[in-house]
Amino acid sequence: MADLIRVLPDVVANQIAAGEVIQRPASVVKELVENAVDAGGDQIKVITKDAGKSFIQVIDNGCGMSENDARLCFERHATSKINKAEDLFAIRTMGFRGEALASIASISQLELKTKRREDESGTHIGIDGSDIQYQQPVATSDGTSIAVKNLFYNVPARRRFLKSPNTELKHIITEFQRVALCHPEVGFSLFHNNAEIYQLSPSGRRERIVQVMGRQLDSNLVNIQIETSIVQINGFIGKPEKAKKTYGEQFFFVNDRFMKHPYFHRAVLRSYESILPPDTVPSYFIFLDLDPSHVDINIHPTKTEIKFDEERAIFQFLHASIREGLGKFNITPTLDFDQEMGIEIPILRKGESFDPPKVEVNPQFNPFELNKDNSPLSGGRPEKHDYSDRNNLPAWESLYPGRSESSQSDIESLTPDSGRFLLLNKKYILTPVKSGLLAIHIRRALERINYEDILSQKESGSDSGQQLLYPEQFDLNPVDLSLVNDIRVEMEKMGFSIDSFGGNSIIVRAVPSQLQGNDVKGLIEALLEDYKNETFNLETSMLDKLARSLSKIASGGMAKTYMAEEMKALFDRLFACSDPQNTAGGKPILTILQTTDIDKRFL
Ligand code: ADP
Ligand code: MG
């Protein structure tokens, strides 16, 4: 019998490796830009087309490559960053695997131009799916340019797997931001379909954060700094009252590379405990520097999840430095641009601790109640239904499982007068019904009512938007901006009116009437956050998704006290809904504590 084992051809091996390293166009951007930074230049330009699907080019003015290296760099495990055996640990600590270029070249049509300063002419190489097409001398400027065309052209399954252009572009911008944030000394630019998205001049760390995330962040940043024998922590955190409802401004870097670290993220959140407005997350840009031999990068092929030898200690240091920063921000004068001004903090050694500073915040803060009582039951809204009409109450019968022939008297006994409502914990409305005690979850009930309202307005084609007296203009970071563009059409159907206002600015002129009175910026952020989490299954239409999150937002205000008539009104409106039992997301709104169950408790 013939031997069975075969060695995979290099091309196939590279494609398999590529599956790990290159998931989408943004991964190419990340690898190429990181290489460009490693090459030591101070200008890096990124050009993309069709969200990177047809074209990605990264141009640097770094060290360039010799003719020989230009050829070698596409071999697997070819890296100039590990020289000798002792350097091998650098594979784990810095993440150099010499795999990126080989992988990218195996799944695209790639063109390289590179020249070292000391060379007369440069090298020009073309590769299609790992096959070298040509290699020739070329007149080119110092540094390296790599253009990647038609990514995944020979792996159609992966190409199909890519998301919408806006989503892929969002990923590209995110990767770009991550590298740009930790290399402020380098100038970066990013272009998409010939439009400039970023043009970042070399600067200091704080100024770079502001360049990347937007000017509005400037007054919001608080410096943190701590130096210990294990780790140096440096960076900026956002003031609690400016915390957003949406993720996108949370960055950890270790030894100048971006990382995700859920455990350290918890340390940040814990430092802000009880001083954040509900459902918000603070911005942070935190840089950890420590001996690379105490870090392990290799547990994840895309190298963003990282293990530390002393995670618990670092957790404590993070916590301490953030509390310190928060405690100081209201007495620290505004920090100047480019001054990289640090606040002196005594070195904290193992075992030492200090009292967390107290920070003044308003615990009553609620972004949804800034201007008015936003209960959907408050007056001033056109009533759409006559809720007292019993024929409008199709769902009552379902309150009695197993009873299909419900009679008029059932309904009678379910229709309590307003004197029979009881408010429990501002959270539930209790009322006796025929079979026991009915409990209504107020927030979820509001969510259901709003949801049906929003959808019915949309269907009736009525002008559901409420023009704002004062249109609100504000900046979004580029990722959020591309998301807004993604769902703009649907948002407008729901009653939003949004225009671009140049740069990263948008102007909101109208919001759905249910959401009138909400803080507009917070509203958009909450919506984007929901959208980013993609908690909905794909079958739900975008409109339905929006209606769901809007209804959640509209009902998410502070718990309040209800008058008896208000409880009655809520009850009536809930039971006029097509499904009073469940929220659109499938959570129960009602439950009945059966009299028989109460009986049992007295046995
Ligand atoms: P790694 O970065 O892990 O070494 P890569 O596959 O990303 O592996 O790159 C392989 C090698 O190609 C690098 O080690 C470097 O020597 C060379 N190289 C890649 N990009 C550049 C660049 N922009 N400028 C100079 N050399 C580069
Ligand atoms: Mg690399």
Side-chain angles (χ1 to χ4, degrees), residues 409-423:
S409 71
D410 282 333
I411 295 175
E412 216 62 70
S413 66
L414 237 180
T415 316
D417 58 70
S418 46
R420 296 169 75 199
F421 287 104
L422 189 69
L423 186 64

Side-chain angles (χ1 to χ4, degrees), residues 19 22-25 27 53 151-152 155-165 167-168 171 538:
I22 308 297
Q23 283 121 3
R24 49 174 20 120
S27 334
K53 290 182 204 178
L151 184 65
F152 299 130
V155 204
R158 279 204 93 81
R159 214 178 155 82
R160 274 197 299 277
F161 171 80
L162 295 176
K163 297 270 169 57
S164 74
T167 304
E168 293 301 335
H171 286 290
L538 291 171

Side-chain angles (χ1 to χ4, degrees), residues 394-414 433-436 581 592 594-596:
W396 287 35
E397 299 168 19
S398 53
L399 275 180
Y400 295 87
R403 269 195 213 212
S404 49
E405 24 45 283
S406 89
S407 64
Q408 185 64 23
S409 71
D410 282 333
I411 295 175
E412 216 62 70
S413 66
L414 237 180
V433 293
K434 193 168 185 177
S435 61
Q581 303 219 46
I592 294 181
Q594 302 286 337
T595 314
T596 48

Side-chain angles (χ1 to χ4, degrees), residues 57-321:
Q57 185 177 23
V58 175
I59 306 167
D60 68 61
N61 62 352
C63 63
M65 285 180 263
S66 70
E67 192 186 341
N68 210 20
D69 283 354
R71 184 80 176 233
L72 257 182
C73 71
F74 297 107
E75 298 291 322
R76 263 185 103 196
H77 308 306
T79 174
S80 59
K81 298 163 193 172
I82 302 171
N83 295 321
K84 35 191 190 321
E86 305 94 82
D87 283 349
L88 270 180
F89 80 92
I91 298 177
R92 315 208 78 186
T93 57
M94 304 300 288
F96 299 133
R97 296 147 56 109
E99 263 177 346
L101 284 185
S103 300
I104 296 168
S106 73
I107 49 171
S108 70
Q109 296 164 327
L110 184 148
E111 191 183 332
L112 163 76
K113 281 184 192 170
T114 187
K115 178 176 141 2
R116 298 183 300 180
R117 206 147 296 137
E118 62 266 36
D119 294 336
E120 280 288 294
S121 64
T123 308
H124 188 185
I125 294 182
I127 305 181
D128 274 14
S130 294
D131 283 338
I132 306 253
Q133 303 294 307
Y134 57 85
Q135 171 165 359
Q136 63 214 23
V138 68
T140 182
S141 39
D142 296 343
T144 301
S145 152
I146 297 183
V148 173
K149 294 173 200 158
N150 303 321
L151 184 65
F152 299 130
Y153 81 103
N154 53 355
V155 204
R158 279 204 93 81
R159 214 178 155 82
R160 274 197 299 277
F161 171 80
L162 295 176
K163 297 270 169 57
S164 74
N166 273 315
T167 304
E168 293 301 335
L169 178 61
K170 182 194 95 177
H171 286 290
I172 289 177
I173 296 171
T174 302
E175 292 295 353
F176 178 91
Q177 290 178 336
R178 290 172 179 173
V179 186
L181 280 171
C182 60
H183 295 285
E185 73 286 358
V186 177
F188 287 92
S189 55
L190 173 63
F191 293 82
H192 181 247
N193 291 344
N194 298 323
E196 175 187 299
I197 298 183
Y198 275 122
Q199 182 77 52
L200 311 171
S201 50
S203 62
R205 197 173 260 173
R206 182 188 174 111
E207 170 64 5
R208 174 55 56 89
I209 293 171
V210 173
Q211 286 176 337
V212 171
M213 308 313 301
R215 281 286 148 203
Q216 78 283 359
L217 198 64
D218 186 31
S219 56
N220 179 24
L221 292 176
V222 178
N223 183 232
I224 62 164
Q225 191 176 21
I226 198 169
E227 202 169 307
T228 73
S229 50
I230 297 171
V231 63
Q232 284 183 34
I233 300 174
N234 260 293
F236 295 90
I237 54 172
K239 293 180 185 170
E241 74 270 22
K242 294 277 184 60
K244 293 188 175 177
K245 288 188 172 284
T246 160
Y247 278 84
E249 294 184 353
Q250 289 69 35
F251 294 88
F252 280 121
F253 300 94
V254 57
N255 295 341
D256 283 339
R257 298 210 177 224
F258 173 80
M259 69 164 175
K260 283 188 193 136
H261 211 290
Y263 179 63
F264 292 165
H265 177 71
R266 282 222 302 282
V268 177
L269 292 187
R270 185 167 302 175
S271 317
Y272 280 82
E273 210 152 59
S274 75
I275 57 170
L276 282 178
D279 302 321
T280 61
V281 50
S283 307
Y284 60 81
F285 308 85
I286 298 177
F287 298 79
L288 309 180
D289 285 287
L290 69 166
D291 181 345
S293 64
H294 295 292
V295 187
D296 188 343
I297 306 194
N298 229 12
I299 58 171
H300 195 278
T302 54
K303 296 175 283 187
T304 49
E305 273 150 43
I306 294 178
K307 250 178 79 63
F308 293 80
D309 288 350
E310 306 205 56
E311 291 195 337
R312 294 171 68 93
I314 297 174
F315 183 103
Q316 296 302 331
F317 294 141
L318 264 174
H319 184 259
S321 60

Side-chain angles (χ1 to χ4, degrees), residues 325-550:
L326 287 175
K328 286 194 172 172
F329 79 75
N330 42 10
I331 48 159
T332 308
T334 317
L335 300 168
D336 280 332
F337 264 147
D338 277 335
Q339 236 186 310
E340 302 290 61
M341 189 165 101
I343 299 162
E344 283 308 316
I345 295 178
I347 294 179
L348 195 74
R349 297 221 166 62
K350 256 189 174 167
E352 283 181 4
S353 70
F354 52 82
D355 288 337
K358 297 245 175 335
V359 181
E360 296 279 340
V361 286
N362 173 12
Q364 300 301 314
F365 177 86
N366 183 320
F368 292 125
E369 292 208 328
L370 286 181
N371 309 325
K372 71 171 193 93
D373 174 351
N374 63 336
S375 153
L377 298 176
S378 57
R381 300 181 45 229
E383 289 292 326
K384 286 242 141 90
H385 312 284
D386 177 9
Y387 297 102
S388 60
D389 179 357
R390 299 238 164 82
N391 299 326
N392 249 345
L393 310 180
W396 287 35
E397 299 168 19
S398 53
L399 275 180
Y400 295 87
R403 269 195 213 212
S404 49
E405 24 45 283
S406 89
S407 64
Q408 185 64 23
S409 71
D410 282 333
I411 295 175
E412 216 62 70
S413 66
L414 237 180
T415 316
D417 58 70
S418 46
R420 296 169 75 199
F421 287 104
L422 189 69
L423 186 64
L424 179 64
N425 274 346
K426 293 190 186 170
K427 199 173 167 194
Y428 302 104
I429 292 173
L430 305 179
T431 189
V433 293
K434 193 168 185 177
S435 61
L437 189 61
L438 172 70
I440 300 174
H441 190 295
I442 297 173
R443 196 188 43 70
R444 290 184 187 169
L446 292 175
E447 196 180 317
R448 164 54 69 180
I449 293 166
N450 283 320
Y451 171 76
E452 298 206 358
D453 251 24
I454 290 171
L455 279 186
S456 77
Q457 277 178 356
K458 201 238 116 217
E459 274 155 22
S460 69
S462 62
D463 184 17
S464 50
Q466 186 72 41
Q467 293 293 322
L468 296 169
L469 205 49
Y470 303 102
E472 280 205 38
Q473 182 221 330
F474 47 88
D475 278 2
L476 291 173
N477 68 46
V479 176
D480 286 353
L481 189 66
S482 76
L483 280 178
V484 167
N485 289 332
D486 231 8
I487 55 177
R488 179 120 130 213
V489 174
E490 283 81 4
M491 285 174 80
E492 285 178 348
K493 283 190 193 147
M494 307 255 87
F496 282 97
S497 160
I498 300 176
D499 287 316
S500 304
F501 205 70
N504 290 335
S505 254
I506 59 168
I507 183 158
V508 180
R509 301 182 197 280
V511 300
S513 52
Q514 288 79 5
L515 293 146
Q516 212 189 71
N518 276 306
D519 158 38
V520 175
K521 187 155 183 264
L523 175 65
I524 301 277
E525 284 172 356
L527 197 62
L528 292 177
E529 189 50 28
D530 243 17
Y531 179 65
K532 281 184 211 167
N533 287 337
E534 295 184 271
T535 39
F536 316 102
N537 67 42
L538 291 171
E539 252 102 274
T540 358
S541 74
M542 182 58 74
L543 279 175
D544 197 54
K545 286 180 185 183
L546 272 174
R548 283 188 195 188
S549 37
L550 289 177

